[in-house]
Amino acid sequence: MRGALAIFKRESSAYFATPLGWVILMFFLFIFNFFFAVSVNAFLEYSSQAAFNPSAADSLNVNSFVVQGVCGNMAVVLLLISPGIAMRLLTEDRRQRSLELLLTSPITSFEIVLGKFMGAMGFVVAMLAGTLPLILLLYIYGEPDSGIVLCNYLALFSYAGVLIATNLFLSSFTENQVIALIVGFAFNLIFWILGWVGEMAPGTMGTVIQTLAMGSHFQEIGKGLI
């Protein structure tokens, strides 16, 4: 596994050595901060209104309103930016003709793929870690359910893993990063809308399609149902 670790270190550091990596990171954190601020503001407004309506106050909680709401929106953001994260993993090696050298080195193909996947996921971990200060504010000023918070971060990490794995596979077919980006986004969109297709499909076919859809699994894990 030394080969995989070496590739992991190279790929993870490469994200912070290029402007694209910083742009993706800043974009992700900006959108997260925006959704977080909007959700907290809306939660405070509904809370003040719910003070005069006891029945509405019972159904209002920071877990579903802020944590699940923000993470659900960030799942869509990950769908948009994951092709940008994964598009260079193999296309760059193919373009620079270094893939052949890598394949003939004393490293297995499994270690190459695993190292590149871990490198991209290391960048995803860095993005998620950048959002933790805002979650800390919820603990300072509120009482969020730690289980729900952990499940939503697990859902985001797992969801990102599926997207990165898919786009890593697609990037192996071309040496053009733009093509890898477009094709990756198209596949991500297909997997996302499968949930809507499954709802309209009859019987067993609908059940199978919904099982393949990522959105429904994300929502279930976000609710704490692993």
Side-chain angles (χ1 to χ4, degrees), residues 7-226:
I7 294 176
F8 159 69
K9 292 178 182 178
R10 188 192 72 174
E11 295 296 339
S12 57
S13 61
Y15 285 106
F16 298 99
T18 59
L20 178 62
W22 286 104
V23 168
I24 292 176
L25 177 62
M26 292 299 103
F27 176 77
F28 181 83
L29 294 180
F30 173 79
I31 297 298
F32 188 95
N33 279 264
F34 173 77
F35 283 134
F36 184 86
V38 171
S39 298
V40 170
N41 183 64
F43 177 77
L44 293 176
E45 290 184 1
Y46 280 110
S47 296
S48 61
Q49 297 174 6
F52 304 97
N53 187 355
S55 59
D58 293 336
S59 61
L60 189 64
N61 65 83
V62 71
N63 300 312
S64 60
F65 207 95
V66 178
V67 178
Q68 291 177 241
V70 172
C71 290
N73 289 329
M74 295 313 297
V76 180
V77 176
L78 281 174
L79 183 146
L80 299 174
I81 66 175
S82 59
I85 298 174
M87 68 180 183
R88 53 164 295 278
L89 291 176
L90 288 173
T91 55
E92 188 68 11
D93 289 324
R94 289 173 64 92
R95 187 181 66 83
Q96 296 181 350
R97 300 296 186 267
S98 60
L99 184 60
E100 292 80 2
L101 180 62
L102 192 61
L103 291 173
T104 55
S105 62
I107 305 175
T108 64
S109 299
F110 174 76
E111 289 179 315
I112 295 173
V113 174
L114 179 61
K116 289 183 174 292
F117 175 76
M118 291 193 304
M121 292 306 296
F123 183 70
V124 171
V125 170
M127 292 195 307
L128 295 178
T131 66
L132 293 180
L134 294 179
I135 300 300
L136 180 61
L137 290 177
L138 292 181
Y139 282 94
I140 295 176
Y141 297 103
E143 297 180 354
D145 188 324
S146 298
I148 295 296
V149 172
L150 290 175
C151 282
N152 275 274
Y153 270 83
L154 174 63
L156 283 174
F157 180 78
S158 303
Y159 179 71
V162 173
L163 296 175
I164 294 297
T166 303
N167 286 272
L168 172 60
F169 170 71
L170 295 173
S171 72
S172 66
F173 290 98
T174 179
E175 61 182 36
N176 190 311
Q177 294 189 21
V178 176
I179 294 177
L181 178 70
I182 296 174
V183 175
F185 176 73
F187 269 76
N188 289 353
L189 188 61
I190 290 173
F191 277 108
W192 182 263
I193 65 176
L194 279 178
W196 304 335
V197 176
E199 293 177 358
M200 296 183 290
T204 305
M205 181 182 296
T207 303
V208 172
I209 293 176
Q210 285 185 319
T211 302
L212 294 174
M214 293 187 292
S216 58
H217 297 296
F218 182 91
Q219 295 172 0
E220 292 298 314
I221 297 176
K223 295 176 183 177
L225 304 175
I226 300 178

